[in-house]
Amino acid sequence: MTTLRLVDVTMRDGNQSLWGATGLHTAHMLQAAALTEACGFRAIDFTSSSHMAVAVRYFRNNPWERLRRMAAAMPTTPLQFITTGLRFIAWQQADPEFMRLVYRALQVNGVGRFVLLDPMHEVPAVIEAARLVKEEGDAEVMCALTFTLSEFHTDQFYADFARAVGQSPDIDLFYIKDPSGLLSLDRVRTLVPAVKAAIGNRPLEIHAHTTIGQGMLSSLEAARLGISAIHVGVGPGGDGSSLPEANRMLANLEEAGHTVEIDRTALARLTSYWNRVALAENLPSGRPQNFDASFLRHQIAGGVMTTTARQLDELGLSHRLPDVIAETEQVRAELGYPIMVTPFPQMVMSQALFNVIGERRYAHVSDQVIRYCLGKFGKPTSPIDRQVLAVIQDRPRARELENEPTFPALGDLRRQFGYAMPDEEFLLRAVMPPEQVDAMLATGPSRATYTPEAAPIIALLKKLAAKPTARDLVIERGSFRLALHAGASL
């Protein structure tokens, strides 16, 4: 059997899959840093541009500061950044020189590994992004083979893509990314050998979600077939719509005769910490999922399904959910089978919702779907249905969006914000609302420590202190005395 490594996804993909990317702030992560470092993970799936935006928007945390402090606390474990290539926070494809600055700043601040995920599997786009990353630092570059089910996404499709991308010397390794948990045991047995034959001696990892109960088994089978690392979530950050839970994965791998390079005592401590965080912050733990064959047809991510169900309930149309699911399958086929990975699940299911509750199909089309049909997200894997394309493009809004301004050139943005502005602030201001960046900067450095057991008490005190009638609060017990007075802050 083989020797394997684990990649921890708790802070990024686990947080996103289970807690909408808003479950964890900087202090949660900093408190986990030393515990995580001690485990010996191959890497930490740590952030993305959307997660950086969430840090600013929801927590007023500086994402650059978060990176620096985490990298300093974890000097031997690479922090991973996942990107769709030449985009940063904004939906538009950015000026390559702007992205060069992004990749430079990320590496200066501690990113040691990049995942390049092009949803359309466009070879030139991946190769260009890899070149920019390597020219601005020495981070590892991993190319994503994003798995989906369609008549076009065959083993040969993925092998050909991997072989073509592998011509670039800037690609260090590959991984099979299964964001919807669709990868079956039978498909693993054909896909992994096909990809390994195409990439030669470069490492291959697997990132298989457990949304419909298959991720654990498909990862174990991939281990038997010679992959180098398996992506997992720790404790409450694993299972559900996240990745296989680390402790159970470790036990299963060892039962199968594999050797896993991980510190079990450290993993137990880290698991205990995340369990206490989840309890303190009321974050639902991932749970093992039953197999649901319907996902193989509609491929709707769990979070998008939940959001749509809530929207229908608010409209008094909960009984139409089965119709929306069926329409999602049809819309995805008509749009050329986009892989259901951000931002496409939201786009496809929203269009399905409009089609079901509207006066006729495609009577209302979102700007993002129009942009997709105009090719602003890249070339679809298969052609868009001609009739649907004509309906979408034959409207005034399509003509407006076809001529909308492109992402500004780096030089123009520098002139707009001033050459003296630090790179980190400049990159955020170029793509985010100014008031959000202002609020983040005014907040100052994030807290460095977090105690799960104290979190409910602090939350209660904040609520009490916010009441107009609660001018002075004093808590005494033995030699302990805590006083809060009007005007004080926590």
Side-chain angles (χ1 to χ4, degrees), residues 217-232:
L217 292 174
S218 59
S219 296
L220 286 168
E221 185 64 11
R224 187 184 68 81
L225 295 167
I227 53 94
S228 63
I230 295 174
H231 295 209
V232 295

PDB file of all heavy atoms in Angstrom, residues 217-232:
ATOM      1  N   LEU A 217     -15.716   7.034   0.210  1.00  0.00           N
ATOM      2  CA  LEU A 217     -15.405   5.813  -0.530  1.00  0.00           C
ATOM      3  C   LEU A 217     -14.583   6.117  -1.780  1.00  0.00           C
ATOM      4  O   LEU A 217     -13.646   5.382  -2.100  1.00  0.00           O
ATOM      5  CB  LEU A 217     -16.698   5.093  -0.906  1.00  0.00           C
ATOM      6  CG  LEU A 217     -17.487   4.495   0.265  1.00  0.00           C
ATOM      7  CD1 LEU A 217     -18.817   3.933  -0.228  1.00  0.00           C
ATOM      8  CD2 LEU A 217     -16.684   3.417   0.976  1.00  0.00           C
ATOM      9  N   SER A 218     -14.920   7.189  -2.504  1.00  0.00           N
ATOM     10  CA  SER A 218     -14.165   7.510  -3.711  1.00  0.00           C
ATOM     11  C   SER A 218     -12.739   7.918  -3.368  1.00  0.00           C
ATOM     12  O   SER A 218     -11.793   7.585  -4.087  1.00  0.00           O
ATOM     13  CB  SER A 218     -14.865   8.612  -4.507  1.00  0.00           C
ATOM     14  OG  SER A 218     -15.005   9.789  -3.745  1.00  0.00           O
ATOM     15  N   SER A 219     -12.535   8.587  -2.231  1.00  0.00           N
ATOM     16  CA  SER A 219     -11.184   8.966  -1.808  1.00  0.00           C
ATOM     17  C   SER A 219     -10.373   7.734  -1.421  1.00  0.00           C
ATOM     18  O   SER A 219      -9.183   7.627  -1.734  1.00  0.00           O
ATOM     19  CB  SER A 219     -11.256   9.948  -0.627  1.00  0.00           C
ATOM     20  OG  SER A 219     -11.866  11.164  -1.011  1.00  0.00           O
ATOM     21  N   LEU A 220     -11.004   6.796  -0.732  1.00  0.00           N
ATOM     22  CA  LEU A 220     -10.311   5.567  -0.351  1.00  0.00           C
ATOM     23  C   LEU A 220      -9.901   4.758  -1.584  1.00  0.00           C
ATOM     24  O   LEU A 220      -8.798   4.203  -1.642  1.00  0.00           O
ATOM     25  CB  LEU A 220     -11.214   4.721   0.547  1.00  0.00           C
ATOM     26  CG  LEU A 220     -11.400   5.219   1.989  1.00  0.00           C
ATOM     27  CD1 LEU A 220     -12.525   4.461   2.670  1.00  0.00           C
ATOM     28  CD2 LEU A 220     -10.108   5.074   2.777  1.00  0.00           C
ATOM     29  N   GLU A 221     -10.770   4.711  -2.585  1.00  0.00           N
ATOM     30  CA  GLU A 221     -10.434   3.979  -3.801  1.00  0.00           C
ATOM     31  C   GLU A 221      -9.315   4.689  -4.556  1.00  0.00           C
ATOM     32  O   GLU A 221      -8.420   4.046  -5.123  1.00  0.00           O
ATOM     33  CB  GLU A 221     -11.671   3.834  -4.691  1.00  0.00           C
ATOM     34  CG  GLU A 221     -11.468   2.995  -5.927  1.00  0.00           C
ATOM     35  CD  GLU A 221     -11.147   1.540  -5.623  1.00  0.00           C
ATOM     36  OE1 GLU A 221     -11.280   1.115  -4.451  1.00  0.00           O
ATOM     37  OE2 GLU A 221     -10.764   0.805  -6.562  1.00  0.00           O
ATOM     38  N   ALA A 222      -9.335   6.021  -4.555  1.00  0.00           N
ATOM     39  CA  ALA A 222      -8.263   6.779  -5.204  1.00  0.00           C
ATOM     40  C   ALA A 222      -6.928   6.519  -4.514  1.00  0.00           C
ATOM     41  O   ALA A 222      -5.877   6.460  -5.173  1.00  0.00           O
ATOM     42  CB  ALA A 222      -8.591   8.269  -5.197  1.00  0.00           C
ATOM     43  N   ALA A 223      -6.963   6.357  -3.191  1.00  0.00           N
ATOM     44  CA  ALA A 223      -5.732   6.036  -2.455  1.00  0.00           C
ATOM     45  C   ALA A 223      -5.170   4.700  -2.927  1.00  0.00           C
ATOM     46  O   ALA A 223      -3.954   4.547  -3.116  1.00  0.00           O
ATOM     47  CB  ALA A 223      -6.019   6.000  -0.959  1.00  0.00           C
ATOM     48  N   ARG A 224      -6.032   3.724  -3.140  1.00  0.00           N
ATOM     49  CA  ARG A 224      -5.577   2.412  -3.620  1.00  0.00           C
ATOM     50  C   ARG A 224      -4.933   2.525  -5.000  1.00  0.00           C
ATOM     51  O   ARG A 224      -4.021   1.751  -5.340  1.00  0.00           O
ATOM     52  CB  ARG A 224      -6.771   1.452  -3.664  1.00  0.00           C
ATOM     53  CG  ARG A 224      -6.400   0.003  -3.996  1.00  0.00           C
ATOM     54  CD  ARG A 224      -7.624  -0.872  -4.116  1.00  0.00           C
ATOM     55  NE  ARG A 224      -8.426  -0.542  -5.280  1.00  0.00           N
ATOM     56  CZ  ARG A 224      -8.163  -0.955  -6.523  1.00  0.00           C
ATOM     57  NH1 ARG A 224      -7.100  -1.713  -6.756  1.00  0.00           N
ATOM     58  NH2 ARG A 224      -8.944  -0.611  -7.533  1.00  0.00           N
ATOM     59  N   LEU A 225      -5.389   3.512  -5.771  1.00  0.00           N
ATOM     60  CA  LEU A 225      -4.913   3.671  -7.143  1.00  0.00           C
ATOM     61  C   LEU A 225      -3.700   4.586  -7.254  1.00  0.00           C
ATOM     62  O   LEU A 225      -3.253   4.875  -8.366  1.00  0.00           O
ATOM     63  CB  LEU A 225      -6.051   4.199  -8.024  1.00  0.00           C
ATOM     64  CG  LEU A 225      -7.241   3.234  -8.184  1.00  0.00           C
ATOM     65  CD1 LEU A 225      -8.441   3.950  -8.800  1.00  0.00           C
ATOM     66  CD2 LEU A 225      -6.839   2.042  -9.035  1.00  0.00           C
ATOM     67  N   GLY A 226      -3.186   5.065  -6.119  1.00  0.00           N
ATOM     68  CA  GLY A 226      -1.907   5.749  -6.151  1.00  0.00           C
ATOM     69  C   GLY A 226      -1.901   7.251  -6.090  1.00  0.00           C
ATOM     70  O   GLY A 226      -0.889   7.881  -6.418  1.00  0.00           O
ATOM     71  N   ILE A 227      -3.007   7.881  -5.651  1.00  0.00           N
ATOM     72  CA  ILE A 227      -2.948   9.338  -5.484  1.00  0.00           C
ATOM     73  C   ILE A 227      -2.056   9.663  -4.282  1.00  0.00           C
ATOM     74  O   ILE A 227      -1.766   8.800  -3.438  1.00  0.00           O
ATOM     75  CB  ILE A 227      -4.349   9.965  -5.341  1.00  0.00           C
ATOM     76  CG1 ILE A 227      -5.159   9.296  -4.243  1.00  0.00           C
ATOM     77  CG2 ILE A 227      -5.091   9.864  -6.645  1.00  0.00           C
ATOM     78  CD1 ILE A 227      -5.073   9.945  -2.932  1.00  0.00           C
ATOM     79  N   SER A 228      -1.620  10.916  -4.183  1.00  0.00           N
ATOM     80  CA  SER A 228      -0.623  11.276  -3.173  1.00  0.00           C
ATOM     81  C   SER A 228      -1.211  11.920  -1.930  1.00  0.00           C
ATOM     82  O   SER A 228      -0.593  11.870  -0.861  1.00  0.00           O
ATOM     83  CB  SER A 228       0.412  12.231  -3.777  1.00  0.00           C
ATOM     84  OG  SER A 228      -0.199  13.446  -4.177  1.00  0.00           O
ATOM     85  N   ALA A 229      -2.381  12.542  -2.036  1.00  0.00           N
ATOM     86  CA  ALA A 229      -2.968  13.229  -0.877  1.00  0.00           C
ATOM     87  C   ALA A 229      -4.482  13.258  -1.000  1.00  0.00           C
ATOM     88  O   ALA A 229      -5.036  13.291  -2.111  1.00  0.00           O
ATOM     89  CB  ALA A 229      -2.420  14.648  -0.763  1.00  0.00           C
ATOM     90  N   ILE A 230      -5.139  13.263   0.154  1.00  0.00           N
ATOM     91  CA  ILE A 230      -6.594  13.308   0.231  1.00  0.00           C
ATOM     92  C   ILE A 230      -6.992  14.544   1.023  1.00  0.00           C
ATOM     93  O   ILE A 230      -6.424  14.827   2.088  1.00  0.00           O
ATOM     94  CB  ILE A 230      -7.151  12.041   0.912  1.00  0.00           C
ATOM     95  CG1 ILE A 230      -6.847  10.813   0.052  1.00  0.00           C
ATOM     96  CG2 ILE A 230      -8.645  12.154   1.160  1.00  0.00           C
ATOM     97  CD1 ILE A 230      -7.243   9.496   0.710  1.00  0.00           C
ATOM     98  N   HIS A 231      -7.987  15.272   0.539  1.00  0.00           N
ATOM     99  CA  HIS A 231      -8.452  16.480   1.201  1.00  0.00           C
ATOM    100  C   HIS A 231      -9.561  16.121   2.188  1.00  0.00           C
ATOM    101  O   HIS A 231     -10.498  15.384   1.849  1.00  0.00           O
ATOM    102  CB  HIS A 231      -8.952  17.486   0.173  1.00  0.00           C
ATOM    103  CG  HIS A 231      -7.871  17.985  -0.735  1.00  0.00           C
ATOM    104  ND1 HIS A 231      -7.902  19.237  -1.301  1.00  0.00           N
ATOM    105  CD2 HIS A 231      -6.713  17.417  -1.168  1.00  0.00           C
ATOM    106  CE1 HIS A 231      -6.816  19.416  -2.044  1.00  0.00           C
ATOM    107  NE2 HIS A 231      -6.084  18.314  -1.980  1.00  0.00           N
ATOM    108  N   VAL A 232      -9.466  16.673   3.402  1.00  0.00           N
ATOM    109  CA  VAL A 232     -10.368  16.313   4.491  1.00  0.00           C
ATOM    110  C   VAL A 232     -10.740  17.549   5.298  1.00  0.00           C
ATOM    111  O   VAL A 232     -10.023  18.554   5.295  1.00  0.00           O
ATOM    112  CB  VAL A 232      -9.719  15.274   5.434  1.00  0.00           C
ATOM    113  CG1 VAL A 232      -9.473  13.959   4.730  1.00  0.00           C
ATOM    114  CG2 VAL A 232      -8.415  15.812   6.029  1.00  0.00           C
TER     115      VAL A 232
END
